[in-house]
Amino acid sequence: VLDSDRARIRQGLPVAKDAARERFIELARSAGAEVVDTLPLFAAHYSRSSLRLEVGPSDGHLNGLGQAIAMHAAAEALLASP
């Protein structure tokens, strides 16, 4: 599960392409790893809700809602994996 720039997503700002991040995803997938990119998941969440995904303003860790979104996607990816 690969985290994303939640602050920019929440503010509706574009998230710049990160070559190192994209390369990491590419290498992980080519090695057979199941990669869940949270960028589209969190963007979808913030498009319909203003509920924050962080513990608090001074703690950027995922709260229960953020963890649930990420882990639900991880479980779905693992179940769909051969």
Side-chain angles (χ1 to χ4, degrees):
V1 176
L2 192 61
D3 203 358
S4 50
D5 190 341
R6 287 177 266 125
R8 290 188 69 82
I9 296 168
R10 182 180 63 254
Q11 295 168 17
L13 299 172
V15 177
K17 289 284 185 184
D18 181 338
R21 185 176 192 274
E22 296 300 319
R23 181 74 174 137
F24 175 81
I25 292 171
E26 176 187 328
L27 288 171
R29 287 183 174 152
S30 69
E34 194 66 45
V35 177
V36 175
D37 184 358
T38 60
L39 195 150
L41 303 172
F42 294 157
H45 165 76
Y46 282 122
S47 74
R48 63 181 181 273
S49 175
S50 62
L51 292 175
R52 294 192 59 153
L53 301 175
E54 295 80 26
V55 171
S58 60
D59 186 344
H61 291 92
L62 288 172
N63 63 19
L65 177 58
Q67 290 179 19
I69 291 169
M71 293 307 104
H72 180 77
E76 283 185 340
L78 289 173
L79 289 171
S81 180

